[in-house]
Amino acid sequence: MSTPHHDPEPGPEHTGPEHTGPEHTGPEHTGAEPGPDLSGRTVVDRDGSRLGKLEQVYLGPRSGSPTWGVVRAGGKQRFVPLHDADPRQGAVRITASKRQVRSAPTAAADAELRPEFEGRLAEHYAGAPNTTRGSVSSVRRSRGALSGVLLVLLGAWTGLIPFVGPYFGYGFGSTQPWSFTVDRLLLCVLPALAILFGGLSLVPTRNRFLASVASVLAMAGGVWLVIGPSLSRLWGTEGVATPIGAPLGSPGMWVAAQLGFFFAVGAVVVAVSATAFGRLTVRSVRD
């Protein structure tokens, strides 16, 4: 296999003696033949997200080491920097992000890589952390996914436990399961819906504002679980959560029911949703 020669350009942090900057005007780039070790290998970005397989690799004229590669990402051929790539662990990990790759300058993957185009590539990847960030409203899907899953589980528990708890002598008022009352609607079902909807909205969204609203909605449901039983005394006369009846079972079960229906669950919901809201309001360099 012949070794392609071209003027290599440095990656954003490369300072090796064999590579020059974009303004270099030495020999023309030649050959886009696959490198002996990287051709066909899967390329992942700095976060481990898969970009595609290397279709072509450009080698440096003096070092013979890979400098640029071509992968198909987002339906198009994209040039990726290989100067500081890590080919270990079965995949080639580059130092750029998927967003940077997809916003990089495009051109046909010809046999020769023009110096002016290589200069544009090097300038793009060198300035990518400051110039290729997405919209302020965009956020990584993983930012609120775990919190969303936890809120979905807590919302399901809050909505179901008043109706299935009596099977185990765990609840308030009636010993009959699936007994629906207006009081249960106000104190359990409505906050459960707020928590559940907030969690379901947090899991898939990549919109920062929608995710923030969802976390606030879930937080409101948690707050109501904490204060609702006390406020219920405004329409009851015999103590905490009287509108849905006295706790079933022993005093220990009374405490467990108050915590499991209201206070402990509400506190956890508020903590989870507040954590999610805090993370969503901070714009990471990866956004």
Side-chain angles (χ1 to χ4, degrees), residues 144-161 185-204 211 213-227 259-274 276:
L146 178 58
S147 298
V149 171
L150 292 175
L151 290 172
V152 168
L153 296 176
L154 290 167
W157 167 272
T158 302
L160 290 176
I161 194 59
L185 172 67
L186 296 176
L187 291 173
C188 298
V189 176
L190 291 182
L193 291 176
I195 298 166
L196 190 63
F197 183 77
L200 289 174
S201 301
L202 268 177
V203 172
V213 170
S215 63
V216 170
L217 178 62
M219 193 185 310
V223 169
W224 179 246
L225 287 178
V226 174
I227 67 175
L259 293 176
F261 273 60
F262 302 111
F263 305 123
V265 176
V268 173
V269 169
V270 170
V272 172
S273 54

Side-chain angles (χ1 to χ4, degrees), residues 32 82 91 114 154 171 180 209 219 225 281:
L82 298 178
R114 299 187 305 276
L154 290 167
F180 183 84
F209 301 120
M219 193 185 310
L225 287 178
T281 55

Side-chain angles (χ1 to χ4, degrees), residues 21-230:
E23 53 281 359
H24 180 70
T25 56
E28 284 289 313
H29 293 76
T30 64
E33 297 182 13
D37 297 324
L38 302 184
S39 177
R41 299 271 297 272
T42 298
V43 180
V44 298
D45 72 354
R46 65 190 183 195
D47 300 317
S49 299
R50 186 180 184 277
L51 297 175
K53 291 187 179 294
L54 272 175
E55 297 182 349
Q56 291 177 307
V57 177
Y58 293 86
L59 304 181
R62 291 179 292 251
S63 66
S65 60
T67 54
W68 298 100
V70 178
V71 299
R72 187 168 295 277
K76 297 181 179 180
Q77 287 185 318
R78 307 284 185 175
F79 285 83
V80 296
L82 298 178
H83 310 81
D84 299 319
D86 183 359
R88 296 173 295 179
Q89 301 179 350
V92 180
R93 183 186 292 269
I94 63 174
T95 57
S97 69
K98 179 181 290 189
R99 189 188 300 275
Q100 293 167 3
V101 172
R102 291 192 173 183
S103 61
T106 58
D110 298 329
E112 295 185 354
L113 189 60
R114 299 187 305 276
E116 60 272 19
F117 178 67
E118 186 180 17
R120 291 175 59 201
L121 285 175
E123 182 178 359
H124 169 79
Y125 283 109
N130 294 322
T131 60
T132 63
R133 296 179 70 183
S135 167
V136 68
S137 65
S138 64
V139 66
R140 290 165 59 86
R141 186 176 287 114
S142 60
R143 187 69 66 82
L146 178 58
S147 298
V149 171
L150 292 175
L151 290 172
V152 168
L153 296 176
L154 290 167
W157 167 272
T158 302
L160 290 176
I161 194 59
F163 303 104
V164 300
Y167 282 119
F168 313 100
Y170 182 70
F172 295 86
S174 175
T175 58
Q176 295 298 318
W178 303 107
S179 175
F180 183 84
T181 66
V182 174
D183 297 314
R184 285 184 174 176
L185 172 67
L186 296 176
L187 291 173
C188 298
V189 176
L190 291 182
L193 291 176
I195 298 166
L196 190 63
F197 183 77
L200 289 174
S201 301
L202 268 177
V203 172
T205 186
R206 299 185 66 174
N207 183 284
R208 185 185 309 276
F209 301 120
L210 176 59
S212 298
V213 170
S215 63
V216 170
L217 178 62
M219 193 185 310
V223 169
W224 179 246
L225 287 178
V226 174
I227 67 175
S230 297

Side-chain angles (χ1 to χ4, degrees), residues 242-268:
T242 309
I244 60 173
L248 303 178
S250 65
M253 289 295 291
W254 302 352
V255 174
Q258 291 180 10
L259 293 176
F261 273 60
F262 302 111
F263 305 123
V265 176
V268 173

